[in-house]
Amino acid sequence: MSPSVRLQEMIRVIRGARTQGEERGVIQRECAAIRAQFRQADNGTRSHNLAKLLYVHMLGYPAHFGQMECVRLIASPRYNEKRVGYLGAMMLLDEKQDASLLITNSIKNDLSHSSQYVQSLALCTLGCMGSAEMCRDLAPEIDRLLRASNSYIKKKAALCAVHIVRKVPELGELFTPASRSLLSEKNHGVLHGAVVLITELCERNPETLEQFRKAVPELVQIMKGLVMSGYSPEHNVAGISDPFLQVRILRLLRILGRNNETASDAVNDLLAQVATNTDSSKTAGSAVLYETVLTVMDIKSESGLRVLAVNILGRFLLNNDRNIRYISMTSLQKIVQTDHNAVQRHRGTIVDCLKDQDASVKRRALELSLALVSAVNIRSLMKELLLFLSSCPPELRAHTTSGIFNAAERYAPSQRWHIDTILHVLTTAGGDVRDETVPNLIQLITTATELHCYTVHKLYRALIADISVQSLVQVACWCIGEYGDLLLRGECEETEPVQVAEDDVLDALETVLQSHMSSPATRGFALTATMKLSTRITHNVDRIRSIVSIYGSCIDVELQQRAVEYNALFKKYDHMRYPALSTTALGPVSSTAGGDLLDLLGGLDVTPGETRSLPPSVIVYEKNGVTLKLQTDRQTDTGMTITLTATNSTDREITSLTLQAAVPKSVQLQMKAPSGDVIPAHGLGQVTQTVLLNNPNKVSLKMRVRVCYTSQDFVCQDTVQIDSFPSPAW
Amino acid sequence: MMHFLLLFSRQGKLRLQKWFTPIPEREKKKIVRDMTTMVLGRKPRSCNFLHWKDLKIVYKKYASLYFCCGLDAEENELLALEVLHRYVELLDKYFGNVCELDIIFNFEKAYFILDEFLLGGEVQETSKQVVSRSIEASDMLQEVSERPCSR
């Protein structure tokens, strides 16, 4: 029986095992037999036993006891044993195994073997798993083979040299002379190896790169020969003559032409020729065109050539092959900043790719579309993006909304368009927008004074249609609270007005308050809006009063607190209600007794806030005769400087005064040293402290301040929340 | 350069693994697991390119076998598809209408063919005929050396 059948027999038996356990049993038996065979003297079956072991190894079982057998077989004079031995070495030995060093001598001998197939085994193994030490040892041998051998060996020696240079970069110098002369070879295998080797050398050594720039004309000739030659059966792939070699030459030309005018000039014509003569109907041609495009974009090409390259990418976008569309988009993404206008010409095709089936293509199309937004195309492009949003895959929604908002902020042609766009996004994908959307939109609406009527009508309509999207409901509630009077007036220039009665509006707000879909923050908005309406409506104040008092015993602490304060506004401070709730009044001020530092920091992001301009200095805390005032000294759009001033109207001085502050996540806070910690009695003195706020992300500014002091032997501690800051003193 | 080439079946069984960089055994197993999971999990009409760590992954399904390779980020993915295709053509020429079973029962031949086509993670020969002829000659040499009289 021929030994090879025994290998196949073993494979058959292993595959026949019905369970993992059975397989393990078979393999254990076989391995034991193999181990026994290894220990015996040479009996002609060594190579087959090793082959069996290699199969077992591929199944995932340990095979380290075969390492020494590999070493032995490699040293055998017989080709069949060497062949399997070298294969085993590549599979079982890597440079980390000590045994790998033992084969260095065999490799050295085999590199000079009389049979080129033995030489080939040695070269292949060295090029696959040669360690740095082995490479240093054998590099001179490889260099010799590069110069004087047949093309079969030369091509392998070239790639072996590539491996050596990767392992021991200094040895690059050794191979440079030989690699230069290899460029005059006609054999494609050798030429390919030479180009790969030269590429590696140039990438690692700038001096070598400089040297090889002189070879550019030669490379151009070779390339021209490939492109313009007729059909060559030996190297033809789908009408392209040796695409593998063409691509490697193009890559080398890219490296040589980068940042160098002369070299780039020399290849301009060639690149144009390749671009126009290469048939891209199959992958081989597209691969060459792709490499050409990459080269054109990376070297100093003429602008005409760059446009040609971008047009190739544009053509790729229309290709049926999904891979080619994907490649095109990744390339366009890389150049959209530098060659913006050229890419803009293909905007239509890119936008069409938003409808592609493939998720990766969609994602790329989105990135590109967002990069292409400009003041000129914002209206039409936004239509496409909003259409995309309505059907885009869930994992892309957050990114899309974010991109749409950025684009709208930068290029909105009008405030009304801006508001409409944001509302559209909220209606379509309100659950996937970032947190700052609500305060940002509120800010935008506030500044668009002529559109208040329009906006409140739109938002009211949206609210009665659907209350599930929290961000939209929050903005709608706020808007109704602020501009409810405009809504009730029943007239609007910009849009069809609704005929709405006070009860209808209160119904809508109460639905939000009561719905299980509404988050606590949303309820807060609805409650505040209801309260604000008490100053804007005439007939239903009692209804509002009753809603508010109900929530005074709500389980949700935030809501309860608000309701209690609003109740207080009704009862004790009714004279303040109008000033407090009219559109230019103070924001709500709350205080909580006690609490940890965690309380101080927590909750700042959750509670919605508003930033409006107010009278210069405002009292933020007033208790036990201690008054804390806040004044804005300076305000820019990324920060502000405020001063806190504490005074004392009691008849004993206040001591150990400390102020601590906390701000939202992205805001930076710096508290300067206070002027002191003792506040004289009878208002005869004060303590001031300056606070610097840096708000690079321009989020809505809020602050919590904790006031601690000792008054008449009692230690007091309170926290105040500041939602709005007064406008600067000058 | 190519960092690795894997062949695996629809059930995730490994049929060939070629590694062009030194990697510990445990990590090789992890990479194989990652590749099989990623590639087998792809939807039918997706494109053939993936990203994994800092490598580009190019894969193609031929009958019941997935051919999957990991490349440096600057490699040309479309050309990699051609490389995989060329290897399949070489196997097909050698075995005559190659199927998965051929590669299972003659795995060492599949490696020998690969070693005539790629070296150190790069293409060593761009002509199909030259590769086929080299394999034939090597096989002949092997046959001769196996005969008892050649001892």
Side-chain angles (χ1 to χ4, degrees):
Chain A
M1 190 178 6
S2 157
S4 163
V5 175
R6 264 189 254 143
L7 164 64
Q8 298 189 335
E9 189 55 43
M10 182 198 80
I11 296 176
R12 218 183 307 271
V13 170
I14 292 175
R15 283 170 59 78
R18 278 161 304 176
T19 66
Q20 187 77 13
E22 204 179 313
E23 181 184 281
R24 256 200 304 274
V26 170
I27 286 177
Q28 263 168 358
R29 274 198 305 280
E30 284 292 340
C31 284
I34 292 169
R35 253 193 291 245
Q37 293 280 1
F38 283 170
R39 281 196 289 268
Q40 282 182 17
D42 176 13
N43 53 13
T45 61
R46 280 160 57 190
S47 57
H48 300 291
N49 283 316
L50 184 59
K52 282 194 212 170
L53 185 58
L54 294 179
Y55 180 80
V56 163
H57 173 251
M58 188 153 56
L59 291 177
Y61 294 89
H64 41 269
F65 59 89
Q67 288 175 4
M68 284 314 293
E69 193 63 15
C70 295
V71 177
R72 258 178 251 130
L73 282 174
I74 286 172
S76 157
R78 298 166 69 172
Y79 179 73
N80 63 319
E81 293 185 339
K82 274 193 200 288
R83 213 182 185 194
V84 178
Y86 274 115
L87 179 63
M90 285 191 274
M91 286 174 78
L92 301 180
L93 295 174
D94 62 34
E95 59 182 44
K96 297 193 172 53
Q97 316 291 342
D98 295 328
S100 65
L101 283 175
L102 297 171
I103 63 175
T104 314
N105 215 40
S106 295
I107 294 182
K108 190 178 211 157
N109 291 335
D110 285 340
L111 283 174
S112 336
H113 201 275
S114 50
S115 163
Q116 67 178 10
Y117 299 106
V118 173
Q119 284 177 299
S120 159
L121 292 174
L123 283 166
C124 189
T125 307
L126 181 61
C128 177
M129 49 74 76
S131 65
E133 212 175 307
M134 286 161 75
C135 288
R136 275 200 200 92
D137 249 345
L138 299 166
E141 274 303 301
I142 303 300
D143 186 48
R144 189 181 60 79
L145 290 172
L146 269 181
R147 296 166 193 278
S149 55
N150 60 27
S151 36
Y152 180 71
I153 294 301
K154 267 192 193 155
K155 74 187 184 201
K156 293 177 191 262
L159 291 178
C160 206
V162 171
H163 175 85
I164 292 175
V165 170
R166 284 180 183 148
K167 282 282 177 216
V168 189
E170 309 87 69
L171 286 171
E173 277 175 32
L174 173 64
F175 297 119
T176 307
S179 52
R180 182 73 179 79
S181 39
L182 285 175
L183 278 182
S184 28
E185 296 269 340
K186 295 279 168 263
N187 180 291
H188 281 225
V190 178
L191 215 42
H192 187 276
V195 172
V196 176
L197 177 56
I198 293 171
T199 309
E200 194 69 36
L201 294 171
C202 291
E203 275 177 334
R204 287 174 188 276
N205 189 326
E207 278 162 24
T208 316
L209 176 64
E210 198 54 54
Q211 265 182 287
F212 274 106
R213 282 219 179 93
K214 299 193 198 94
V216 166
E218 208 173 332
L219 289 164
V220 168
Q221 275 309 108
I222 299 171
M223 189 69 192
K224 269 203 178 115
L226 290 169
V227 174
M228 304 307 287
S229 71
Y231 178 78
S232 153
E234 201 175 346
H235 299 290
N236 180 67
V237 180
I240 311 291
S241 185
D242 206 337
F244 305 103
L245 182 57
Q246 287 197 29
V247 166
R248 289 314 305 232
I249 294 179
L250 285 167
R251 195 180 314 171
L252 178 55
L253 289 172
R254 178 153 89 240
I255 292 167
L256 295 173
R258 214 180 260 154
N259 299 323
N260 186 291
E261 292 274 358
T262 335
S264 301
D265 277 340
V267 302
N268 259 307
D269 283 342
L270 171 70
L271 293 174
Q273 203 172 26
V274 177
T276 35
N277 284 323
T278 306
D279 173 21
S280 62
S281 52
K282 293 279 162 67
T283 311
S286 302
V288 172
L289 273 181
Y290 175 43
E291 197 73 32
T292 311
V293 168
L294 292 178
T295 302
V296 167
M297 302 317 288
D298 210 11
I299 65 174
K300 295 182 177 301
S301 350
E302 298 163 356
S303 59
L305 194 53
R306 287 182 89 91
V307 171
L308 180 59
V310 176
N311 288 346
I312 290 176
L313 291 178
R315 250 191 9 246
F316 275 2
L317 280 180
L318 300 165
N319 198 302
N320 283 329
D321 188 333
R322 175 168 297 112
N323 294 323
I324 292 174
R325 289 204 298 278
Y326 176 88
I327 291 295
S328 164
M329 292 226 249
T330 40
S331 310
L332 286 168
Q333 187 72 42
K334 287 188 203 133
I335 62 173
V336 70
Q337 303 301 338
T338 49
D339 295 79
H340 191 93
N341 290 334
V343 180
Q344 276 283 6
R345 265 179 237 133
H346 301 276
R347 194 178 71 242
T349 329
I350 293 170
V351 164
D352 278 340
C353 287
L354 285 171
K355 301 177 193 118
D356 199 295
Q357 301 276 16
D358 185 295
S360 343
V361 171
K362 270 202 200 86
R363 183 190 299 267
R364 292 270 175 300
L366 174 65
E367 297 280 359
L368 267 174
S369 303
L370 290 173
L372 287 175
V373 176
S374 71
V376 174
N377 61 36
I378 179 74
R379 282 186 193 266
S380 51
L381 196 45
M382 189 55 80
K383 277 203 197 87
E384 297 288 345
L385 288 170
L386 291 173
L387 195 59
F388 173 68
L389 184 62
S390 55
S391 60
C392 86
E395 63 272 13
L396 289 178
R397 293 178 84 157
H399 191 73
T400 313
T401 58
S402 181
I404 288 176
F405 284 156
N406 282 335
E409 260 171 58
R410 288 172 69 188
Y411 300 111
S414 72
Q415 280 182 321
R416 178 172 157 168
W417 180 93
H418 196 175
I419 290 173
D420 281 343
T421 305
I422 299 184
L423 290 183
H424 191 132
V425 172
L426 288 180
T427 332
T428 327
D432 295 292
V433 300
R434 56 181 191 224
D435 293 336
E436 308 89 69
T437 310
V438 170
N440 285 349
L441 181 55
I442 288 177
Q443 173 94 351
L444 178 63
I445 293 174
T446 316
T447 51
T449 35
E450 330 73 62
L451 293 169
H452 287 167
C453 190
Y454 167 77
T455 314
V456 73
H457 273 88
K458 265 204 101 153
L459 281 168
Y460 177 74
R461 280 203 194 88
L463 187 67
I464 53 177
D466 175 19
I467 59 167
S468 60
V469 180
Q470 299 306 297
S471 45
L472 189 59
V473 172
Q474 287 173 11
V475 179
C477 288
W478 176 87
C479 204
I480 291 170
E482 272 300 293
Y483 310 119
D485 48 329
L486 297 175
L487 182 64
L488 293 164
R489 208 177 294 163
E491 49 185 56
C492 183
E493 284 171 2
E494 304 263 352
T495 181
E496 181 78 31
V498 279
Q499 301 308 323
V500 165
E502 293 177 3
D503 270 319
D504 298 325
V505 179
L506 290 174
D507 280 344
L509 289 174
E510 244 190 315
T511 315
V512 174
L513 271 171
Q514 289 164 357
S515 166
H516 62 278
M517 288 192 283
S518 301
S519 72
T522 310
R523 288 213 183 89
F525 268 99
L527 190 61
T528 307
T530 311
M531 188 61 194
K532 283 191 201 164
L533 282 177
S534 71
T535 59
R536 288 150 174 82
I537 61 172
T538 43
H539 306 298
N540 278 293
V541 185
D542 282 338
R543 181 175 169 185
I544 293 180
R545 213 193 291 255
S546 69
I547 294 175
V548 167
S549 69
I550 288 172
Y551 280 87
S553 42
C554 171
I555 281 181
D556 185 289
V557 174
E558 273 285 335
L559 221 49
Q560 189 191 115
Q561 183 184 305
R562 272 178 203 255
V564 164
E565 286 158 17
Y566 295 156
N567 263 327
L569 263 180
F570 270 122
K571 297 198 172 92
K572 293 203 298 192
Y573 299 99
D574 206 34
H575 59 283
M576 276 181 68
R577 188 158 52 90
Y578 272 84
L581 298 173
S582 68
T583 36
T584 54
L586 293 162
V589 171
S590 59
S591 62
T592 52
D596 293 329
L597 192 58
L598 285 172
D599 271 354
L600 194 70
L601 296 170
L604 262 175
D605 291 340
V606 174
T607 325
E610 307 126 3
T611 317
R612 290 196 293 269
S613 54
L614 299 159
S617 167
V618 65
I619 297 172
V620 297
Y621 173 82
E622 200 166 31
K623 197 173 163 189
N624 303 331
V626 176
T627 309
L628 192 63
K629 282 205 192 99
L630 185 150
Q631 177 180 299
T632 306
D633 299 319
R634 209 174 60 86
Q635 185 171 27
T636 64
D637 56 357
T638 53
M640 58 178 9
T641 311
I642 60 173
T643 303
L644 294 164
T645 309
T647 51
N648 168 16
S649 63
T650 67
D651 52 10
R652 282 175 65 174
E653 65 182 14
I654 301 287
T655 55
S656 310
L657 173 75
T658 54
L659 299 172
Q660 289 166 296
V663 286
K665 281 193 282 274
S666 60
V667 181
Q668 288 127 32
L669 175 78
Q670 189 189 359
M671 294 190 83
K672 298 288 190 196
S675 61
D677 69 343
V678 173
I679 322 178
H682 304 296
L684 290 173
Q686 60 191 28
V687 168
T688 56
Q689 188 163 17
T690 306
V691 182
L692 297 159
L693 295 170
N694 184 26
N695 183 10
N697 292 354
K698 302 188 198 170
V699 302
S700 171
L701 266 179
K702 302 159 232 169
M703 201 164 82
R704 261 204 194 147
V705 178
R706 188 198 284 166
V707 189
C708 286
Y709 54 88
T710 306
S711 168
Q712 300 176 20
D713 302 316
F714 286 108
V715 174
C716 300
Q717 184 179 280
D718 284 322
T719 312
V720 290
Q721 169 131 346
I722 300 164
D723 288 325
S724 40
F725 295 80
S727 52
W730 34 68
Chain B
M1 71 176 267
M2 193 184 285
H3 285 241
F4 55 80
L5 173 67
L6 306 173
L7 267 67
F8 47 85
S9 70
R10 267 191 305 241
Q11 290 81 34
K13 286 233 138 112
L14 196 60
R15 298 302 178 205
L16 186 143
Q17 52 174 336
K18 187 77 186 179
W19 303 89
F20 295 107
T21 54
I23 295 178
E25 198 64 44
R26 187 177 301 167
E27 203 174 316
K28 279 184 192 168
K29 292 209 164 104
K30 177 163 192 312
I31 293 176
V32 171
R33 267 201 311 272
D34 284 351
M35 290 301 120
T36 44
T37 317
M38 270 191 349
V39 170
L40 293 174
R42 294 281 276 178
K43 291 205 257 306
R45 277 192 310 272
S46 324
C47 76
N48 296 79
F49 311 135
L50 288 166
H51 275 282
W52 182 81
K53 302 210 176 155
D54 57 344
L55 296 177
K56 282 184 180 162
I57 308 295
V58 175
Y59 73 92
K60 189 104 197 270
K61 184 163 189 272
Y62 288 91
S64 60
L65 269 183
Y66 285 88
F67 287 65
C68 169
C69 61
L71 314 161
D72 279 329
E74 63 262 10
E75 290 294 324
N76 184 323
E77 298 99 311
L78 294 175
L79 195 71
L81 279 176
E82 287 297 313
V83 171
L84 292 179
H85 192 74
R86 174 59 63 90
Y87 183 46
V88 172
E89 284 179 322
L90 291 167
L91 290 170
D92 199 45
K93 178 128 196 286
Y94 185 82
F95 290 108
N97 266 338
V98 67
C99 64
E100 193 181 341
L101 282 177
D102 288 321
I103 298 181
I104 293 170
F105 282 95
N106 300 285
F107 71 94
E108 77 278 22
K109 303 277 187 355
Y111 276 101
F112 295 149
I113 295 170
L114 186 62
D115 287 339
E116 285 294 329
F117 177 46
L118 302 177
L119 202 160
E122 306 279 356
V123 169
Q124 73 175 272
E125 179 55 63
T126 58
S127 158
K128 257 188 287 194
Q129 290 93 313
V130 173
V131 176
S132 302
R133 282 199 296 263
S134 311
I135 296 286
E136 272 167 48
S138 307
D139 280 351
M140 195 83 80
L141 194 56
Q142 172 160 340
E143 229 173 279
V144 168
S145 67
E146 269 168 356
R147 286 192 215 129
C149 58
S150 68
R151 272 209 210 220

